[in-house]
Amino acid sequence: MYAIESAGGIPIMLPLTTNPEIMIRLAHEFDGFLFTGGHDLNPELYHEKVEDTCGELCYERDRMEALLFQKVVELDKPAFGICRGLQLFNVMLGGSLIQDIPTGFQVATPVQHKQSPPYTNLVHDVHIVNNNLLHDIVQTNTIKVNSYHHQGIKVLADQLTAVAVAEDGLVEAVVMPDRTFVMAVQWHPEYSFSVDEYSQKLFSSFVSSCQSLGYDQNIQDIIA
């Protein structure tokens, strides 16, 4: 929420609800939506059994965010995903997840994907491809990021495009090319925005995508 404020936005935390009528109203009411990190997604959503290495689940949050994401995409509202947010976008669009990276059961990697605090430290590189929303924002092909996740994309959803990968090939960022601003990253720019220009640019671009000329004018009228 601090990162959104620093970028000029007004953050509002939504209630935890699975009421579809409330989700539809929220999707219409607000300018954009940040899908944050947190609980693991229930593997049943991508047709797999829950492995012992899977973390804490929250049915209500899964249901709420599924409903909200579906409506936000339908309305072409800006959507920015962080960590679980990236995984949510992928699963809701038909992809699947690696349930636990450190065990090496589904992927073996020397890259440090789950660092220790402080999370302002940047621990590994991600490589960004040209000609996409993320590259337009950061204007470079390699950035260093923090990393705090134990799950990741296994099968990428058809409607998403991978636009950044770690050195081990794990997907680190995705966009939905046929929408104005649907983007998600696997790292945590909300921790590093105070020290990292690229994290700041992500939030600035998201907030800018949420603003319209009419909205800005109304704010100026109120201030005046």
Side-chain angles (χ1 to χ4, degrees):
M1 297 181 85
Y2 290 137
I4 291 175
E5 285 187 58
S6 75
I10 303 172
I12 303 294
M13 185 177 293
L14 301 184
L16 181 62
T17 175
T18 58
N19 185 321
E21 293 183 3
I22 294 176
M23 288 298 98
I24 291 171
R25 181 171 179 179
L26 291 173
H28 280 279
E29 287 288 333
F30 292 99
D31 300 304
F33 298 84
L34 173 64
F35 293 81
T36 68
H39 305 87
D40 286 355
L41 288 161
N42 193 327
E44 293 178 359
L45 293 171
Y46 47 96
H47 311 295
E48 291 188 10
K49 69 175 185 177
V50 180
E51 301 290 350
D52 293 340
T53 52
C54 190
E56 183 180 359
L57 307 177
C58 179
Y59 168 81
E60 292 83 1
R61 185 177 178 187
D62 287 349
R63 179 62 176 157
M64 171 188 170
E65 292 184 346
L67 291 168
L68 183 61
F69 179 69
Q70 180 182 19
K71 194 64 183 179
V72 168
V73 168
E74 179 184 322
L75 295 172
D76 198 17
K77 292 284 187 81
F80 181 28
I82 293 175
C83 196
R84 170 191 160 96
L86 173 141
Q87 296 161 12
L88 173 85
F89 291 8
N90 188 56
V91 169
M92 290 303 103
L93 295 171
S96 64
L97 302 179
I98 301 164
Q99 290 194 40
D100 188 66
I101 294 169
T103 59
F105 177 69
Q106 292 178 312
V107 61
T109 176
V111 176
Q112 183 181 12
H113 286 293
K114 192 172 184 180
Q115 73 186 81
S116 300
Y119 302 122
T120 50
N121 288 344
L122 307 179
V123 296
H124 72 74
D125 290 340
V126 298
H127 303 290
I128 301 165
V129 300
N130 293 323
N131 301 318
N132 61 78
L133 177 61
L134 178 59
H135 190 270
D136 290 345
I137 293 169
V138 299
Q139 292 290 301
T140 186
N141 290 106
T142 303
I143 63 174
K144 191 170 284 291
V145 301
N146 57 14
S147 193
Y148 187 69
H149 62 103
H150 81 107
Q151 297 193 321
I153 290 177
K154 180 168 68 172
V155 176
L156 183 68
D158 290 341
Q159 294 180 66
L160 294 176
T161 298
V163 295
V165 296
E167 294 170 329
D168 57 3
L170 192 72
V171 174
E172 289 280 344
V174 297
V175 297
M176 198 172 181
D178 63 347
R179 292 296 183 270
T180 303
F181 191 110
V182 175
M183 180 179 70
V185 299
Q186 186 62 78
W187 64 93
H188 286 272
E190 80 278 19
Y191 284 122
S192 54
F193 82 95
S194 61
V195 298
D196 176 55
E197 64 171 309
Y198 298 118
S199 299
Q200 295 164 7
K201 287 180 177 181
L202 291 176
F203 281 102
S204 294
S205 180
F206 170 59
V207 170
S208 294
S209 74
C210 297
Q211 295 173 331
S212 67
L213 181 61
Y215 172 80
D216 290 340
Q217 186 61 53
N218 290 336
I219 291 294
Q220 293 304 316
D221 291 344
I222 291 170
I223 293 174

